[in-house]
């Protein structure tokens, strides 16, 4: 897949987390770690929200409910496994 450059401004502690993950071998570099985070956000944002569900009151089947709950749990578990929050500076 083609890649493009992106310049962003983030909190210093976020950069320190990225650098620690790279040092620990979780990711090859900052770009790979950032891409992984964006991929998780993309998965998370693809899920229906409560606001959407209330605006579109079509009941989900039990299979859909289970799939939705499973995806939400998997994303949250992946985010939690990355790192506990750093203490405030």
């Amino acid at each position: 897949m083609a890649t493009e450059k992106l310049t962003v401004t983030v909190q210093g502690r976020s950069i320190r987390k990225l650098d620690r993950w790279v040092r620990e071998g979780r990711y090859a570099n900052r770009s790979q770690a950032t891409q992984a985070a964006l991929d998780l956000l993309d998965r998370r944002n693809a899920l229906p929200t409560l606001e959407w569900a209330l605006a579109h009151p079509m009941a989900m089947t039990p299979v859909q409910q289970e799939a939705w709950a499973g995806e939400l749990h998997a994303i949250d578990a992946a985010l939690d496994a990355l790192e506990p929050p750093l203490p405030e500076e």
Side-chain angles (χ1 to χ4, degrees), residues 14-84:
S14 295
I15 293 171
R16 288 189 294 281
K17 282 183 185 181
L18 286 174
D19 290 341
R20 184 173 57 243
W21 295 338
V22 170
R23 275 192 317 274
E24 292 172 351
R26 295 179 189 206
Y27 301 96
N29 52 50
R30 285 179 175 177
S31 293
Q32 189 185 68
T34 303
Q35 184 64 57
L38 290 171
D39 291 346
L40 278 172
L41 283 173
D42 187 41
R43 285 176 60 193
R44 176 83 165 155
N45 287 328
L47 295 173
T49 63
L50 177 59
E51 180 179 301
W52 183 90
L54 291 173
H56 302 85
M58 185 170 90
M60 287 192 280
T61 67
V63 171
Q64 291 171 319
Q65 289 176 349
E66 187 175 329
W68 180 81
E71 180 69 5
L72 183 60
H73 178 73
I75 292 168
D76 287 342
L79 290 171
D80 290 344
L82 286 176
E83 192 78 25

